[in-house]
Amino acid sequence: MGHGAGGKAAAQLIEELFLAELDNPYLRQGDDGASLPLPGFDPAAGRLVMACDGHVVSPIFFPGGDLGSLAVHGTINDVAMLGAQPLYLSACFIIEEGYPLADLQRIVRSMGAAARAAGVPVVCGDTKVVERGKGDGVFISTTGVGVVPAGVSISGRQARPGDAVLLSGPIGAHGVAVLSQRESLAFATSVQSDSAALHTLVAAVLAAAPGAVRVLRDPTRGGLATTLNEIARQSGVGMVLDEAAIAVLPEVDAACELLGLDPLYVANEGKLVAICDPAAAPVVLAAMRAHPLAREAAQIGSVQADAQQFVQMRTRFGGRRVVDWLSGEQLPRIC
């Protein structure tokens, strides 16, 4: 299970198995999707972005969302984090024999509502049914396609020393909302998942500061800590974060304390990290705060030259500690 948790084990699995066997320049980009040329078209028309995602969240229904809306939001966000306008989605359903049709209808209805709200239709799909006991209700695999306008270049490989690290809001809500519904952990909380499509927020940010944003990433599995380590490794840099600037809702903080979790490693489904030219940071922050999904955006740190590619944090008490990758299995099947 640790290989599916989005941390160091997952990164090693991708590097040592999938990349070794499927290696090509597009897969080597190392982002959540691939930026692709449009053969036969003028490069000035832009580039194609393609991203896929598998959704195995347990439980399927949780405060603030469900498997259907999560599948739409997660894939739209993977496309958007490359600076693309998402255009189309596909959806493949793996259904276990005997799964209640009423629950399946509820999932599909939620997926339809999320797609319509985002303006990104599901244009094709597939269904497969597996024998009873060979699945766990329903799994959904989605693919998203979008187009990056000419002149926009976003990648986890582009962070530079001195850049500002911005975060769109409080972390950890999605993971805590899902955990609160698990039979083995059930506890009362008012926390709702932050699951949301972020493509309009991305468009607003890119329009506010053309050319200034170098990296966008949504901190899902493995949380903020693992996401920043991924970017640091991709770009060959280090980062220094300010703990006091990273917002955590009091109820999320209390739940994490109860469960022995660090909010830095808890999944989010409606937040983004933006790394940008420091001179443009105030403009980018203003654009984020003007959007309903990022009212509490803040600069949480900066990029540093560091051959060791460490992510460090200045603590509230004036110390400094290393923020490492997620190691092992903290929160399986969270998205």
Side-chain angles (χ1 to χ4, degrees), residues 118-163:
V120 185
V122 178
V123 297
C124 60
D126 189 25
T127 58
K128 294 288 189 297
V129 177
V130 298
E131 297 91 335
R132 193 185 302 268
K134 299 292 180 64
D136 190 9
V138 182
F139 299 146
I140 302 178
S141 174
T142 46
T143 297
V145 174
V147 173
V148 182
V152 173
S153 177
I154 305 293
S155 171
R157 296 165 293 166
Q158 297 181 158
R160 304 174 188 171
D163 282 353

Short mmCIF file of all heavy atoms in Angstrom, two decimals, residues 118-163:
data_model
loop_
_atom_site.label_atom_id
_atom_site.label_comp_id
_atom_site.label_asym_id
_atom_site.label_seq_id
_atom_site.Cartn_x
_atom_site.Cartn_y
_atom_site.Cartn_z
N ALA A 118 -18.14 22.65 -14.06
CA ALA A 118 -16.79 23.03 -14.50
C ALA A 118 -16.75 23.40 -15.98
O ALA A 118 -15.77 23.98 -16.45
CB ALA A 118 -15.82 21.88 -14.22
N GLY A 119 -17.78 23.02 -16.72
CA GLY A 119 -17.78 23.27 -18.15
C GLY A 119 -16.86 22.34 -18.91
O GLY A 119 -16.34 22.69 -19.98
N VAL A 120 -16.63 21.16 -18.36
CA VAL A 120 -15.73 20.17 -18.99
C VAL A 120 -16.51 18.85 -19.09
O VAL A 120 -16.61 18.11 -18.11
CB VAL A 120 -14.45 19.97 -18.16
CG1 VAL A 120 -13.48 19.05 -18.91
CG2 VAL A 120 -13.78 21.31 -17.86
N PRO A 121 -17.05 18.53 -20.26
CA PRO A 121 -17.92 17.36 -20.37
C PRO A 121 -17.17 16.03 -20.39
O PRO A 121 -16.01 15.96 -20.81
CB PRO A 121 -18.63 17.59 -21.71
CG PRO A 121 -17.66 18.39 -22.51
CD PRO A 121 -16.97 19.29 -21.52
N VAL A 122 -17.86 15.00 -19.93
CA VAL A 122 -17.36 13.62 -20.07
C VAL A 122 -17.83 13.14 -21.44
O VAL A 122 -19.03 12.97 -21.66
CB VAL A 122 -17.91 12.71 -18.96
CG1 VAL A 122 -17.42 11.28 -19.16
CG2 VAL A 122 -17.50 13.23 -17.59
N VAL A 123 -16.90 12.91 -22.36
CA VAL A 123 -17.28 12.67 -23.76
C VAL A 123 -17.17 11.21 -24.18
O VAL A 123 -17.60 10.85 -25.28
CB VAL A 123 -16.44 13.55 -24.70
CG1 VAL A 123 -16.71 15.03 -24.43
CG2 VAL A 123 -14.95 13.25 -24.55
N CYS A 124 -16.56 10.36 -23.36
CA CYS A 124 -16.51 8.94 -23.68
C CYS A 124 -16.20 8.18 -22.40
O CYS A 124 -15.81 8.78 -21.39
CB CYS A 124 -15.46 8.62 -24.76
SG CYS A 124 -13.78 9.05 -24.31
N GLY A 125 -16.43 6.87 -22.44
CA GLY A 125 -16.18 6.10 -21.23
C GLY A 125 -16.27 4.61 -21.48
O GLY A 125 -16.40 4.16 -22.61
N ASP A 126 -16.18 3.87 -20.39
CA ASP A 126 -16.22 2.42 -20.49
C ASP A 126 -16.72 1.89 -19.13
O ASP A 126 -16.55 2.55 -18.10
CB ASP A 126 -14.83 1.87 -20.79
CG ASP A 126 -14.86 0.38 -21.12
OD1 ASP A 126 -15.91 -0.11 -21.56
OD2 ASP A 126 -13.83 -0.30 -20.91
N THR A 127 -17.34 0.73 -19.15
CA THR A 127 -17.72 0.08 -17.89
C THR A 127 -17.26 -1.37 -17.91
O THR A 127 -17.34 -2.04 -18.94
CB THR A 127 -19.25 0.11 -17.67
OG1 THR A 127 -19.89 -0.53 -18.78
CG2 THR A 127 -19.75 1.52 -17.54
N LYS A 128 -16.78 -1.82 -16.80
CA LYS A 128 -16.43 -3.22 -16.61
C LYS A 128 -17.00 -3.66 -15.26
O LYS A 128 -17.03 -2.86 -14.31
CB LYS A 128 -14.91 -3.43 -16.60
CG LYS A 128 -14.21 -3.12 -17.93
CD LYS A 128 -14.51 -4.18 -18.97
CE LYS A 128 -13.66 -4.00 -20.23
NZ LYS A 128 -13.92 -2.72 -20.92
N VAL A 129 -17.46 -4.91 -15.19
CA VAL A 129 -17.96 -5.46 -13.94
C VAL A 129 -17.07 -6.64 -13.54
O VAL A 129 -16.80 -7.52 -14.38
CB VAL A 129 -19.42 -5.91 -14.08
CG1 VAL A 129 -19.92 -6.55 -12.78
CG2 VAL A 129 -20.32 -4.73 -14.45
N VAL A 130 -16.61 -6.63 -12.30
CA VAL A 130 -15.79 -7.74 -11.79
C VAL A 130 -16.61 -8.55 -10.79
O VAL A 130 -17.59 -8.06 -10.21
CB VAL A 130 -14.49 -7.23 -11.15
CG1 VAL A 130 -13.63 -6.51 -12.17
CG2 VAL A 130 -14.78 -6.32 -9.96
N GLU A 131 -16.21 -9.79 -10.57
CA GLU A 131 -16.96 -10.68 -9.70
C GLU A 131 -17.02 -10.14 -8.27
O GLU A 131 -16.14 -9.42 -7.83
CB GLU A 131 -16.32 -12.07 -9.66
CG GLU A 131 -16.32 -12.80 -10.99
CD GLU A 131 -15.04 -12.53 -11.77
OE1 GLU A 131 -14.41 -11.46 -11.54
OE2 GLU A 131 -14.68 -13.37 -12.60
N ARG A 132 -18.09 -10.53 -7.58
CA ARG A 132 -18.25 -10.16 -6.18
C ARG A 132 -17.02 -10.58 -5.38
O ARG A 132 -16.53 -11.71 -5.53
CB ARG A 132 -19.50 -10.84 -5.61
CG ARG A 132 -19.96 -10.30 -4.27
CD ARG A 132 -21.12 -11.14 -3.77
NE ARG A 132 -22.23 -11.16 -4.70
CZ ARG A 132 -23.26 -10.32 -4.67
NH1 ARG A 132 -23.30 -9.39 -3.74
NH2 ARG A 132 -24.24 -10.42 -5.55
N GLY A 133 -16.50 -9.68 -4.59
CA GLY A 133 -15.32 -9.96 -3.80
C GLY A 133 -14.01 -9.67 -4.50
O GLY A 133 -12.94 -9.76 -3.91
N LYS A 134 -14.07 -9.30 -5.81
CA LYS A 134 -12.86 -9.00 -6.57
C LYS A 134 -12.65 -7.50 -6.74
O LYS A 134 -11.76 -7.08 -7.48
CB LYS A 134 -12.93 -9.68 -7.95
CG LYS A 134 -13.03 -11.20 -7.90
CD LYS A 134 -11.75 -11.80 -7.37
CE LYS A 134 -11.81 -13.33 -7.30
NZ LYS A 134 -11.95 -13.98 -8.58
N GLY A 135 -13.49 -6.70 -6.12
CA GLY A 135 -13.34 -5.25 -6.17
C GLY A 135 -13.75 -4.68 -4.82
O GLY A 135 -13.84 -5.40 -3.84
N ASP A 136 -13.99 -3.38 -4.79
CA ASP A 136 -14.43 -2.76 -3.53
C ASP A 136 -15.48 -1.71 -3.86
O ASP A 136 -15.27 -0.53 -3.63
CB ASP A 136 -13.25 -2.15 -2.81
CG ASP A 136 -13.62 -1.72 -1.39
OD1 ASP A 136 -14.73 -2.06 -0.94
OD2 ASP A 136 -12.82 -1.03 -0.75
N GLY A 137 -16.59 -2.16 -4.46
CA GLY A 137 -17.64 -1.22 -4.84
C GLY A 137 -17.42 -0.69 -6.23
O GLY A 137 -17.73 -1.35 -7.22
N VAL A 138 -16.84 0.51 -6.31
CA VAL A 138 -16.62 1.15 -7.61
C VAL A 138 -15.27 1.85 -7.61
O VAL A 138 -14.92 2.53 -6.64
CB VAL A 138 -17.72 2.21 -7.90
CG1 VAL A 138 -17.49 2.84 -9.27
CG2 VAL A 138 -19.10 1.59 -7.84
N PHE A 139 -14.52 1.67 -8.69
CA PHE A 139 -13.32 2.46 -8.96
C PHE A 139 -13.58 3.24 -10.25
O PHE A 139 -14.26 2.74 -11.15
CB PHE A 139 -12.08 1.58 -9.16
CG PHE A 139 -11.72 0.73 -7.96
CD1 PHE A 139 -11.18 -0.53 -8.15
CD2 PHE A 139 -11.91 1.18 -6.68
CE1 PHE A 139 -10.83 -1.33 -7.07
CE2 PHE A 139 -11.58 0.38 -5.58
CZ PHE A 139 -11.03 -0.87 -5.78
N ILE A 140 -13.04 4.45 -10.35
CA ILE A 140 -13.19 5.25 -11.57
C ILE A 140 -11.81 5.69 -12.06
O ILE A 140 -11.01 6.22 -11.29
CB ILE A 140 -14.05 6.51 -11.35
CG1 ILE A 140 -15.44 6.12 -10.83
CG2 ILE A 140 -14.18 7.30 -12.64
CD1 ILE A 140 -16.34 7.32 -10.53
N SER A 141 -11.55 5.46 -13.35
CA SER A 141 -10.33 5.96 -13.99
C SER A 141 -10.74 7.02 -15.00
O SER A 141 -11.64 6.79 -15.82
CB SER A 141 -9.60 4.81 -14.69
OG SER A 141 -8.50 5.30 -15.42
N THR A 142 -10.11 8.16 -14.94
CA THR A 142 -10.48 9.27 -15.83
C THR A 142 -9.26 9.76 -16.61
O THR A 142 -8.12 9.65 -16.15
CB THR A 142 -11.05 10.46 -15.02
OG1 THR A 142 -10.19 10.69 -13.90
CG2 THR A 142 -12.45 10.17 -14.54
N THR A 143 -9.54 10.32 -17.77
CA THR A 143 -8.51 10.99 -18.57
C THR A 143 -9.01 12.38 -18.93
O THR A 143 -10.20 12.55 -19.22
CB THR A 143 -8.21 10.21 -19.86
OG1 THR A 143 -7.69 8.93 -19.52
CG2 THR A 143 -7.18 10.94 -20.73
N GLY A 144 -8.12 13.35 -18.87
CA GLY A 144 -8.47 14.71 -19.23
C GLY A 144 -7.60 15.22 -20.35
O GLY A 144 -6.41 14.88 -20.43
N VAL A 145 -8.19 16.01 -21.22
CA VAL A 145 -7.46 16.61 -22.34
C VAL A 145 -7.69 18.11 -22.31
O VAL A 145 -8.82 18.57 -22.05
CB VAL A 145 -7.95 16.03 -23.68
CG1 VAL A 145 -7.29 16.76 -24.86
CG2 VAL A 145 -7.63 14.55 -23.76
N GLY A 146 -6.64 18.87 -22.55
CA GLY A 146 -6.76 20.32 -22.59
C GLY A 146 -5.73 20.92 -23.52
O GLY A 146 -4.90 20.21 -24.10
N VAL A 147 -5.76 22.23 -23.65
CA VAL A 147 -4.83 22.93 -24.53
C VAL A 147 -4.15 24.05 -23.76
O VAL A 147 -4.81 24.82 -23.06
CB VAL A 147 -5.56 23.51 -25.76
CG1 VAL A 147 -4.63 24.38 -26.57
CG2 VAL A 147 -6.11 22.38 -26.62
N VAL A 148 -2.82 24.12 -23.90
CA VAL A 148 -2.03 25.20 -23.30
C VAL A 148 -1.88 26.31 -24.34
O VAL A 148 -1.39 26.05 -25.44
CB VAL A 148 -0.64 24.71 -22.88
CG1 VAL A 148 0.14 25.84 -22.22
CG2 VAL A 148 -0.74 23.54 -21.95
N PRO A 149 -2.28 27.51 -24.02
CA PRO A 149 -2.10 28.60 -24.99
C PRO A 149 -0.62 28.83 -25.30
O PRO A 149 0.25 28.59 -24.45
CB PRO A 149 -2.71 29.82 -24.28
CG PRO A 149 -3.55 29.26 -23.20
CD PRO A 149 -2.93 27.96 -22.80
N ALA A 150 -0.34 29.30 -26.49
CA ALA A 150 1.04 29.66 -26.84
C ALA A 150 1.57 30.69 -25.85
O ALA A 150 0.85 31.60 -25.43
CB ALA A 150 1.07 30.21 -28.26
N GLY A 151 2.83 30.52 -25.46
CA GLY A 151 3.46 31.47 -24.54
C GLY A 151 3.36 31.08 -23.08
O GLY A 151 4.01 31.70 -22.23
N VAL A 152 2.56 30.08 -22.76
CA VAL A 152 2.44 29.61 -21.37
C VAL A 152 3.31 28.38 -21.19
O VAL A 152 3.23 27.42 -21.97
CB VAL A 152 0.97 29.27 -21.02
CG1 VAL A 152 0.89 28.63 -19.64
CG2 VAL A 152 0.12 30.53 -21.08
N SER A 153 4.17 28.39 -20.19
CA SER A 153 5.06 27.25 -19.93
C SER A 153 5.08 27.00 -18.42
O SER A 153 5.66 27.79 -17.66
CB SER A 153 6.48 27.55 -20.43
OG SER A 153 7.34 26.47 -20.09
N ILE A 154 4.44 25.93 -17.99
CA ILE A 154 4.37 25.58 -16.58
C ILE A 154 4.89 24.16 -16.41
O ILE A 154 4.49 23.24 -17.12
CB ILE A 154 2.91 25.62 -16.07
CG1 ILE A 154 2.26 26.98 -16.35
CG2 ILE A 154 2.86 25.27 -14.59
CD1 ILE A 154 2.85 28.13 -15.58
N SER A 155 5.81 23.95 -15.46
CA SER A 155 6.33 22.61 -15.20
C SER A 155 7.00 22.58 -13.84
O SER A 155 7.57 23.59 -13.39
CB SER A 155 7.35 22.20 -16.27
OG SER A 155 8.00 20.99 -15.91
N GLY A 156 6.99 21.42 -13.21
CA GLY A 156 7.69 21.25 -11.94
C GLY A 156 9.18 21.36 -12.06
O GLY A 156 9.89 21.42 -11.04
N ARG A 157 9.70 21.44 -13.27
CA ARG A 157 11.15 21.54 -13.48
C ARG A 157 11.65 22.98 -13.50
O ARG A 157 12.83 23.22 -13.69
CB ARG A 157 11.51 20.90 -14.82
CG ARG A 157 11.25 19.40 -14.88
CD ARG A 157 11.29 18.89 -16.31
NE ARG A 157 10.16 19.44 -17.05
CZ ARG A 157 10.03 19.40 -18.37
NH1 ARG A 157 11.00 18.90 -19.11
NH2 ARG A 157 8.96 19.90 -18.97
N GLN A 158 10.78 23.97 -13.31
CA GLN A 158 11.15 25.36 -13.58
C GLN A 158 11.32 26.24 -12.35
O GLN A 158 11.51 27.45 -12.48
CB GLN A 158 10.10 25.98 -14.52
CG GLN A 158 10.06 25.27 -15.87
CD GLN A 158 9.06 25.87 -16.83
OE1 GLN A 158 9.18 25.70 -18.03
NE2 GLN A 158 8.07 26.58 -16.32
N ALA A 159 11.29 25.69 -11.14
CA ALA A 159 11.52 26.52 -9.95
C ALA A 159 12.97 26.99 -9.92
O ALA A 159 13.88 26.21 -10.22
CB ALA A 159 11.19 25.73 -8.69
N ARG A 160 13.18 28.24 -9.56
CA ARG A 160 14.52 28.83 -9.54
C ARG A 160 14.81 29.43 -8.17
O ARG A 160 13.90 29.93 -7.50
CB ARG A 160 14.63 29.94 -10.60
CG ARG A 160 14.29 29.49 -12.01
CD ARG A 160 14.27 30.69 -12.93
NE ARG A 160 13.76 30.33 -14.25
CZ ARG A 160 13.47 31.20 -15.20
NH1 ARG A 160 13.65 32.51 -14.99
NH2 ARG A 160 13.00 30.79 -16.37
N PRO A 161 16.08 29.43 -7.76
CA PRO A 161 16.41 30.07 -6.48
C PRO A 161 15.91 31.51 -6.42
O PRO A 161 16.06 32.27 -7.39
CB PRO A 161 17.95 30.02 -6.46
CG PRO A 161 18.27 28.82 -7.29
CD PRO A 161 17.25 28.80 -8.40
N GLY A 162 15.28 31.85 -5.31
CA GLY A 162 14.72 33.19 -5.13
C GLY A 162 13.23 33.26 -5.40
O GLY A 162 12.57 34.21 -4.97
N ASP A 163 12.68 32.27 -6.12
CA ASP A 163 11.25 32.27 -6.41
C ASP A 163 10.42 32.23 -5.14
O ASP A 163 10.84 31.68 -4.11
CB ASP A 163 10.87 31.07 -7.28
CG ASP A 163 11.24 31.25 -8.74
OD1 ASP A 163 11.65 32.37 -9.12
OD2 ASP A 163 11.11 30.28 -9.51
#
